[in-house]
Amino acid sequence: MAAPYHPPVKRSVTIAGHPTSISLEPVFWDALEAEAARHALPINALVARIDVERMEAEDPPNLTSAIRQWLWRGQRAGENGLD
């Protein structure tokens, strides 16, 4: 049986024309890809929207943490709404 836990995987994304790397566990990459597909957005565009939301917070977390929290909130609410 495969181990249920996996280390983070680093991938590059481009936000506002600037490349950055994000390390997420495979389960979060899978969830992010699914949400991007559900919203008919490229992953870069979805990450950029999450980045804008996180920067509006009083004490913004790092981007990786914001992505995880965004995915968790969406899962808990039943969907991730994008306005």
Side-chain angles (χ1 to χ4, degrees), residues 1-6:
M1 180 161 97
Y5 301 101
H6 300 281

Side-chain angles (χ1 to χ4, degrees), residues 3-11 21-34 43 47 62-69 71-72:
Y5 301 101
H6 300 281
V9 174
K10 187 177 281 194
R11 293 189 191 174
S21 55
I22 298 172
S23 293
L24 290 169
E25 295 76 9
V27 67
F28 287 108
W29 280 119
D30 291 347
L32 189 62
E33 289 168 355
I43 286 181
V47 170
N62 66 49
L63 181 56
T64 300
S65 179
I67 291 168
R68 286 187 188 105
Q69 291 177 59
L71 290 167
W72 176 252

Side-chain angles (χ1 to χ4, degrees), residues 52-66:
V52 167
E53 285 183 23
R54 88 173 169 102
M55 293 308 295
E56 293 173 352
E58 186 175 319
D59 185 18
N62 66 49
L63 181 56
T64 300
S65 179

